[in-house]
Amino acid sequence: MLYEWLHVVDLTTRSRFQEHSAETFSAVLDLSEQLAVRKFAPHNREGDLREPVVGSEGRVELIPAVREAIDAYIAAGLQAASFDHAYGGMRLPVTVQKASSLWFTAANASTTGYLFLASAAANLLVAHADADMVDRYARPMIEGRFFGTMCLSEPEAGSSLADITTRAKLQDDGTYRVRGTKMWISAGDHELGENIIHLVLARTGGTGSGIKGISLFAVPKYLVESDGSIGERNDVVLLGLNHKMGNRGTTNTVLGFGDGTHRPRGEAGAVGYLIGAEGNGLACMFHMMNEARIAVGSGAVSLGYTGYLKSLAYAKTRLQGRRAGEQNPSSPRVPIIEHADVRRMLLAQKSYVEGSLALILYCARLVDEQASAPDEAERDRARMLLDVLTPIAKSFPAQWCLAANDLAIQVHGGYGYTRDFDVEQHYRDNRLNQIHEGTHGVQGLDLLGRKVRVNGGRAFRMLIDSMRQTALSARGRDGEPAVLAELLERRIDRLVVTTETLSRSADREAAMANSSVYLEAMGHVVIAWLWLEQVVVAAGKVDDFYNGKRAAARYFFHYELPRTDHQFDLLCRCDRTTLDLDPEWL
């Protein structure tokens, strides 16, 4: 995917990445594999069984292996890998960094959560904070000394950020005092580093209500002095840990800001520092949120993929039953992979996880295009494509790689439902990805309500043009690529008509009622497009690897893509089944 399809080595001709080569990229990936296998995978089960607890001194206690793995990752320079030289980074292309990260989330999604939240917070600060704040907070995160969080949700507000009540009051010295409660804060408290920098959404007195009244603040667990030294404890307290179905090794917290438990600089209230302008908090936070959404999709891919690989290995060795048509009961048993329905489940998994992996890596390549393409029009195109694909990059892997985990359990049979095999944990860990960083409902509303309409639908048209170009290229080849291209073009046409129908509808409520269905249908068309891209690259290459690619693409086109036909029918008639439902009927 990296070398034959996305051509990442071509990036080394650009000034930003000119010090790199195929050799440095492969070295990073080899190192990632070794660290993930040696330091992260061994405690994945232990972290699930021994989830974080609050100790007698009120501190969060994690198993020691978490700290050991994180220290090894930081020591290897991977935390700073994609950052500029000015921050101690190696300017690694995001495409390669994302591929590296997949090793770690596959090995241990919980432990990697602490690292990746910190790097995302540092990215936000580098993009939006002033120089002093970058030096004081972002640099230590890039170095691995500080960690970070994103504090959006509240107990009553959930995903409805317009309803948050946390407030920040300006002080004479230019700082703010933040007061409120935040809920579902991953990595919200621990002792893995010297400090935790909370990025907190709160209302200020000088702005209005709704989302326009929200500002963004850096609120450190410990104040940081001008010389970079750690100061007194800020008024931020751990109110409790949430006990989760999966992904248990990452602390998930309820945090209190400004309740007076601590009195920094002699008074109650958590000291916060404004990032950007008042009232512009969501615009800044979306920098981290969009990165996190793609990271959610990436995490879902890695969990789905590792579950697939484990069920594939099991199916090759588990003996049960005999080949279809074999009448002799004394004939040898066969590995269950010999049974057609088991192969169906394995092929379905492969089509979901490798299609989703293509989407994640394609989005990462767009980030690199934004940063390094020599032409402004190319950079603008990459930005718009990434914008329209982000809801799909979050949601399709979260839904269908979880379906892969479900099938991995089924391949294992009764054993898959026990703790004797890893696949049940992978399912539980992956189940979170449909929820956090915006549920399917939130992503569907974003995609249909904004992303495909913004700038007169320009980004959507660019995506359609890209898909049509791939289909045109495939049509120029003999055999199966041309057949698959025709199947894709038929659904691209339907996607265009459906989008136009919904955009023109006078009944906007009815048009938006099934936005999650639209998200799923468009996601299937996008994944089919990326499968066709891989088929085109694999043309003329014959071995087990390329034959497997073609088989998975064939499965997706014949078994999955036809789902969209009914979905487009339902969407075009603006079906009102859910709108017309009286809640009392449920």
Side-chain angles (χ1 to χ4, degrees):
M1 286 182 167
L2 292 178
Y3 297 124
E4 295 178 71
W5 171 45
L6 295 173
H7 303 292
V8 293
V9 177
D10 290 353
L11 290 171
T12 62
T13 63
R14 299 176 182 177
S15 59
R16 179 173 179 80
F17 306 119
Q18 63 184 0
E19 67 192 63
H20 289 292
S21 64
E23 288 72 25
T24 63
F25 295 161
S26 293
V28 167
L29 296 175
D30 290 343
L31 172 64
S32 300
E33 176 187 7
Q34 293 164 17
L35 274 179
V37 170
R38 291 193 351 252
K39 294 292 186 180
F40 285 74
H43 69 275
N44 189 48
R45 173 62 81 182
E46 183 185 9
D48 179 66
L49 297 175
R50 296 173 56 195
E51 58 186 309
V53 296
V54 180
S56 58
E57 296 182 357
R59 296 184 175 186
V60 172
E61 297 178 356
L62 306 174
I63 59 173
V66 174
R67 179 65 176 267
E68 294 169 11
I70 285 174
D71 286 349
Y73 184 92
I74 293 167
L78 292 175
Q79 184 72 341
S82 61
F83 286 91
D84 282 349
H85 299 315
Y87 304 108
M90 63 176 79
R91 274 192 179 175
L92 192 71
V94 171
T95 315
V96 181
Q97 187 277 329
K98 182 59 67 178
S100 163
S101 75
L102 288 161
W103 278 108
F104 296 97
T105 47
N108 194 315
S110 293
T111 294
T112 54
Y114 298 101
L115 292 161
F116 295 168
L117 277 166
S119 61
N123 272 325
L124 183 150
L125 290 170
V126 167
H128 297 287
D130 60 36
D132 177 70
M133 209 178 299
V134 169
D135 286 341
R136 201 175 291 202
Y137 303 132
R139 286 184 186 277
M141 281 195 272
I142 297 168
E143 294 167 2
R145 296 189 295 112
F146 289 7
F147 288 81
T149 72
M150 51 194 305
C151 298
L152 291 78
S153 297
E154 297 179 5
E156 299 301 322
S159 298
S160 181
L161 297 180
D163 295 323
I164 67 171
T165 59
T166 298
R167 303 200 68 85
K169 185 176 180 181
L170 180 62
Q171 307 296 297
D172 292 340
D173 63 359
T175 64
Y176 290 75
R177 291 287 174 153
V178 179
R179 292 175 171 83
T181 303
K182 292 293 181 178
M183 182 75 159
W184 312 118
I185 310 306
S186 295
D189 201 33
H190 52 78
E191 304 296 327
L192 293 171
E194 300 171 23
N195 208 348
I196 302 173
I197 310 303
H198 302 289
L199 301 184
V200 182
L201 289 180
R203 299 190 179 281
T204 51
T207 55
S209 60
I211 60 174
K212 294 181 179 179
I214 297 174
S215 301
L216 179 62
F217 300 88
V219 183
K221 179 177 178 179
Y222 295 94
L223 300 185
V224 180
E225 304 300 338
S226 59
D227 63 357
S229 62
I230 302 298
E232 62 184 314
R233 177 68 185 263
N234 205 356
D235 197 7
V236 183
V237 294
L238 174 66
L239 299 179
L241 295 177
N242 296 306
H243 301 287
K244 298 174 292 178
M245 169 182 170
N247 197 32
R248 293 173 177 170
T250 304
T251 58
N252 190 273
T253 62
V254 187
L255 296 179
F257 294 85
D259 69 356
T261 299
H262 305 282
R263 302 182 67 83
R265 297 173 184 170
E267 61 179 289
V271 178
Y273 302 85
L274 180 67
I275 301 171
E278 280 197 7
N280 201 38
L282 272 184
C284 294
M285 183 58 95
F286 264 109
H287 187 107
M288 187 174 181
M289 289 169 66
N290 284 333
E291 181 177 342
R293 285 173 175 174
I294 295 174
V296 166
S298 176
V301 167
S302 60
L303 286 166
Y305 211 136
T306 196
Y308 158 63
L309 292 174
K310 289 175 181 178
S311 66
L312 175 61
Y314 182 84
K316 288 180 176 180
T317 57
R318 167 66 170 167
L319 300 178
Q320 184 174 313
R322 289 154 185 85
R323 289 186 178 89
E326 176 58 65
Q327 302 297 317
N328 183 0
S330 63
S331 62
R333 294 179 300 162
V334 297
I336 61 173
I337 201 169
E338 296 289 342
H339 304 312
D341 196 57
V342 173
R343 292 200 295 272
R344 174 192 64 81
M345 292 188 284
L346 292 169
L347 198 53
Q349 290 180 69
K350 184 177 176 70
S351 78
Y352 302 154
V353 300
E354 293 188 7
S356 296
L357 175 60
L359 175 59
I360 294 301
L361 293 178
Y362 183 82
C363 287
R365 187 66 160 81
L366 291 174
V367 175
D368 287 326
E369 289 297 312
Q370 278 185 271
S372 68
D375 183 75
E376 176 62 33
E378 294 177 62
R379 295 194 293 272
D380 191 50
R381 176 180 179 276
R383 178 188 60 79
M384 286 192 286
L385 282 175
L386 183 62
D387 195 45
V388 77
L389 285 173
T390 295
I392 300 169
K394 189 274 182 187
S395 289
F396 186 94
Q399 180 175 359
W400 294 97
C401 291
L402 181 70
N405 288 132
D406 181 82
L407 289 170
I409 292 173
Q410 192 72 12
V411 169
H412 281 76
Y415 287 113
Y417 198 63
T418 70
R419 296 178 189 173
D420 297 334
F421 289 84
D422 294 338
V423 289
E424 64 86 25
Q425 183 186 341
H426 297 324
Y427 181 93
R428 288 187 289 105
D429 289 347
N430 212 351
R431 185 59 184 85
L432 174 63
N433 289 317
Q434 291 192 20
I435 300 171
H436 68 163
E437 306 309 332
T439 61
H440 284 331
V442 170
Q443 304 302 329
L445 291 170
D446 182 42
L447 179 65
L448 180 57
R450 191 175 75 86
K451 294 296 175 63
V452 301
R453 303 176 189 229
V454 70
N455 293 327
R458 188 178 170 206
F460 177 72
R461 289 195 300 273
M462 283 184 175
L463 177 61
I464 294 298
D465 288 346
S466 297
M467 292 193 287
R468 291 196 191 281
Q469 288 171 12
T470 301
L472 182 63
S473 174
R475 274 189 176 278
R477 299 176 181 271
D478 295 331
E480 190 170 38
V483 174
L484 299 183
E486 191 277 329
L487 295 175
L488 177 62
E489 286 175 327
R490 190 187 310 167
R491 274 60 181 221
I492 294 172
D493 291 341
R494 292 221 62 188
L495 175 61
V496 171
V497 170
T498 301
T499 304
E500 291 174 348
T501 300
L502 295 172
S503 297
R504 292 197 305 263
S505 175
D507 188 349
R508 183 169 173 80
E509 186 181 28
M512 295 298 296
N514 296 299
S515 58
S516 292
V517 177
Y518 179 87
L519 173 71
E520 184 176 332
M522 184 169 169
H524 270 71
V525 176
V526 166
I527 297 298
W529 161 51
L530 296 176
W531 266 120
L532 186 57
E533 286 256 313
Q534 294 178 72
V535 168
V536 170
V537 173
K541 302 172 183 177
V542 182
D543 63 18
D544 288 343
F545 176 81
Y546 296 106
N547 289 338
K549 283 287 185 186
R550 283 184 282 270
R554 192 177 304 129
Y555 178 91
F556 196 85
F557 272 83
H558 293 169
Y559 285 72
E560 292 296 330
L561 190 57
R563 292 174 183 266
T564 62
D565 296 334
H566 165 68
Q567 292 170 325
F568 288 136
D569 288 342
L570 182 147
L571 289 161
C572 282
R573 68 173 182 263
C574 291
D575 189 274
R576 296 185 58 89
T577 299
T578 56
L579 284 175
D580 295 340
L581 175 73
D582 188 325
E584 296 302 317
W585 300 345
L586 292 173

